[in-house]
Amino acid sequence: MRRLLIVLFSLGLAAGCVSTSDSTETTVEPLETTSTTSRSQRTTEEPIDASGSTSVPSASGESDPRFASLDPGDPGGDAMGLAAARELGSIGDPTFPGLGNSGYDVQTYAINLDLTRPELVAETTVTLTALAELDSFHLDLVGLTIDEIRIDDEPALFMRDGREVIIRPPEPIESGQTVAVLVAYHGTPEPIADQDLPFNLGFQTQSWGTFVASEPVGAATWFPANDHPQDKALFTITISVPEGTTTAGPGQRTSSTTAEGVTTETWIAADPMSTYLASVATGAFDVSIETLDSGLVIRHAVHADAAIATGTELDTTVEMIAAFEERFGPYPFESYGILVVPEQLGFALENQTLSLFGTDIMTSPAAQPILAHELAHQWFGDNVSPAAWDDIWLNEGFATWAEWWWTERITGTNNVNTARFIPLEPLKGLPASGLFEINVYWRGGLTLEALRRDVGDEIFGQILREWSNRYGGGVASTQNFLDLVEELSGAGAADLVSQWIFAPTMPVLADE
Ligand SMILES: [Zn+2]
């Protein structure tokens, strides 16, 4: 998955990142939400505001009527300015037309979360490079109250419009200029509920602690973001918690200090990451850390209440990584591990370097296939991310194929001979509600299996490894994959893959 309306489990399959594993049907239960996360409490719009004032001086010391006209409720506003500003409020994703923002490229997010108080108090610095001259630009942020925005330490005007934060810098940002946008905010993060999903997206607060499940559109519930996979960035996340609480985050923990009853820990992800894959967790986690000869750090964080359910399922992680490296190329990040939370999530999610699981999947017969599925996503989805959400089969089809391959390896069987006889819908032109349907998983997996049977194991392996070589650290599209297949194995193989992706009637899988 992960973004959007995230993971659905349909037909007994986990969506989003979940897998459709085997014959086991996962019971879907909605996430519990605390009373403080009720969507009904969400503030949908706030007037233009900066530094807590409704009339903030611009850089020239006067309020700016043109920016004020961006108020969407002001019919007399500057239509040209409004249209231009709104155009910046989208990256043009066909499935989610309003998602993400254009006009700049985020370099880093430095997210500081204070979780020691009744509500979240946070500061995030978004360092971005303008791709055009910007009189204004957008960030995505859902709920929460913005206290102040500063650009290179100068106060900036801003307003809220749904999930868009429209920001007017004191002076236009020149094309190519890099600026630091500091956003100070507070409140209770409110997960995004959607009628198509049995659970909520984003930052989740539970009685035992917190965790994050954002795919596809939930990242903006806890930090201001250019919330689209296309704009990858480096992340530093610092979390303050009451002494005795454990934190978990992406990459590696680089510092931990405790003073006056507050523990502050910093997590740094060394590799570019899409916003939907960024995560943190807090609670009573048992953390195990092992550094392999290769330098890869394996660290799992299992909540104390989920430890018995987890059992020995994680013991195969190192063996699984070795097997996948042989098939897909080197593991792409500096660390990997599983976060197990004491929840019946109904899904698992491939947060980058720290896949999220609930106790339900860890206690089900599907644990091993889904562990393989989320691990495979580190190559397919996390390292090479979808250029658009409509390319989600590049995540889910690849992870499903890997899951099948692992399952056959350890059990001698898999779901290929079930999936191949089900008429599954094509893989493109998906509505938002269709991102995590079974066709994306099973027809996507069958597409790769059909390619493997056509070109043979050796060339198939070359294609998968070159996919990571070429597009790792960035995004890739379905057309990119078709082009690679043609380049490495010819037009006939590319045509076969194209049929599997687009044909209204699913092709017949050749026998081995
Ligand atoms: Zn998946």
Side-chain angles (χ1 to χ4, degrees):
M1 63 180 236
R2 318 320 66 67
R3 114 292 299 330
L4 74 94
L5 307 174
I6 289 198
V7 177
L8 308 182
F9 284 68
S10 61
L11 303 175
L13 298 186
C17 13
V18 173
S19 70
T20 64
S21 300
D22 294 334
S23 56
T24 303
E25 293 211 349
T26 303
T27 301
V28 177
E29 297 181 9
L31 288 177
E32 293 180 16
T33 56
T34 65
S35 60
T36 55
T37 59
S38 165
R39 189 165 60 162
S40 64
Q41 297 178 355
R42 176 176 164 194
T43 300
T44 56
E45 191 174 303
E46 297 177 7
I48 181 171
D49 187 19
S51 303
S53 165
T54 55
S55 178
V56 177
S58 68
S60 65
E62 298 175 357
S63 61
D64 186 300
R66 189 180 64 88
F67 189 73
S69 74
L70 292 177
D71 185 332
D74 175 11
D78 174 353
M80 292 296 289
L82 183 61
R86 284 202 165 141
E87 200 167 279
L88 295 169
S90 169
I91 223 158
D93 189 284
T95 308
F96 299 100
L99 197 64
N101 308 292
S102 61
Y104 61 87
D105 177 19
V106 176
Q107 309 297 318
T108 62
Y109 292 97
I111 302 170
N112 287 274
L113 307 173
D114 181 350
L115 292 168
T116 65
R117 311 185 201 192
E119 60 182 10
L120 171 70
V121 178
E123 266 191 16
T124 293
T125 298
V126 185
T127 301
L128 58 85
T129 300
L131 301 176
E133 182 177 282
L134 298 176
D135 290 331
S136 65
F137 62 96
H138 293 223
L139 288 168
D140 301 303
L141 186 68
V142 175
L144 301 170
T145 298
I146 295 176
D147 301 308
E148 180 182 28
I149 295 180
R150 302 179 76 86
I151 298 178
D152 287 345
D153 211 27
E154 296 291 326
L157 295 163
F158 66 92
M159 64 169 289
R160 309 289 297 268
D161 181 10
R163 61 178 285 150
E164 305 286 336
V165 182
I166 306 168
I167 302 166
R168 183 169 189 271
E171 297 172 4
I173 303 170
E174 295 175 16
S175 181
Q177 184 182 353
T178 296
V179 297
V181 182
L182 181 149
V183 181
Y185 53 104
H186 72 274
T188 300
E190 297 165 355
I192 299 169
D194 187 281
Q195 60 182 5
D196 293 330
L197 297 174
F199 43 84
N200 297 333
L201 299 183
F203 191 99
Q204 323 264 339
T205 303
Q206 305 292 11
S207 59
W208 56 265
T210 65
F211 68 101
V212 170
S214 293
E215 185 179 23
V217 299
T221 60
W222 62 289
F223 64 96
N226 187 12
D227 195 8
H228 191 278
Q230 278 189 15
D231 195 356
K232 290 190 176 187
L234 299 177
F235 281 72
T236 297
I237 304 174
T238 299
I239 315 163
S240 293
V241 291
E243 182 177 1
T245 299
T246 303
T247 77
Q252 297 196 62
R253 192 180 70 177
T254 58
S255 73
S256 178
T257 60
T258 297
E260 297 179 353
V262 174
T263 296
T264 299
E265 302 194 320
T266 296
W267 295 83
I268 296 179
D271 300 288
M273 181 158 61
S274 294
T275 49
Y276 79 93
L277 297 167
S279 71
V280 294
T282 61
F285 293 101
D286 297 327
V287 178
S288 65
I289 299 178
E290 174 187 6
T291 302
L292 307 184
D293 291 343
S294 64
L296 176 63
V297 174
I298 305 296
R299 52 94 174 80
H300 302 304
V302 179
H303 193 275
D305 294 343
I308 293 174
T310 302
T312 60
E313 290 294 349
L314 302 182
D315 291 353
T316 55
T317 302
V318 173
E319 180 190 350
M320 208 183 270
I321 290 172
F324 282 0
E325 286 192 318
E326 210 171 288
R327 209 78 174 104
F328 308 143
Y331 177 78
F333 307 122
E334 85 268 40
S335 65
Y336 186 65
I338 305 296
L339 176 78
V340 184
V341 300
E343 294 287 329
Q344 306 289 305
L345 294 180
F347 65 93
L349 186 58
E350 70 273 26
N351 287 334
Q352 192 159 310
T353 74
L354 190 63
S355 293
L356 168 68
F357 280 71
T359 51
D360 49 352
I361 287 177
M362 295 306 293
T363 55
S364 84
Q368 278 296 309
I370 297 180
L371 284 165
H373 182 104
E374 306 311 332
L375 173 62
H377 270 311
Q378 303 299 311
W379 281 263
F380 309 116
D382 293 10
N383 189 35
V384 181
S385 301
W389 282 113
D390 188 44
D391 293 312
I392 189 70
W393 81 275
L394 297 171
N395 290 21
E396 301 306 342
F398 283 52
T400 297
W401 188 89
E403 171 192 326
W404 288 343
W405 184 71
W406 175 259
T407 305
E408 182 173 32
R409 190 182 168 103
I410 62 172
T411 69
T413 187
N414 63 30
N415 271 335
V416 171
N417 286 329
T418 299
R420 66 190 293 191
F421 299 117
I422 299 173
L424 298 163
E425 295 291 311
L427 301 176
K428 289 284 282 180
L430 306 171
S433 61
L435 294 186
F436 301 110
E437 292 295 328
I438 188 174
N439 59 308
V440 173
Y441 290 77
W442 279 15
R443 185 161 165 172
L446 289 169
T447 298
L448 290 190
E449 180 62 11
L451 174 63
R452 188 188 70 81
R453 293 185 182 190
D454 186 59
V455 303
D457 265 333
E458 187 176 336
I459 292 177
F460 179 68
Q462 287 175 11
I463 292 169
L464 294 185
R465 288 189 291 275
E466 180 59 19
W467 185 243
S468 293
N469 281 341
R470 195 169 293 187
Y471 298 108
V475 299
S477 68
T478 297
Q479 187 60 49
N480 291 145
F481 186 67
L482 289 168
D483 291 345
L484 180 64
V485 170
E486 180 164 353
E487 180 183 326
L488 296 184
S489 56
D495 184 58
L496 174 75
V497 172
S498 183
Q499 291 296 312
W500 274 94
I501 295 168
F502 296 106
T505 300
M506 190 171 86
V508 174
L509 180 69
D511 290 327
E512 284 218 79

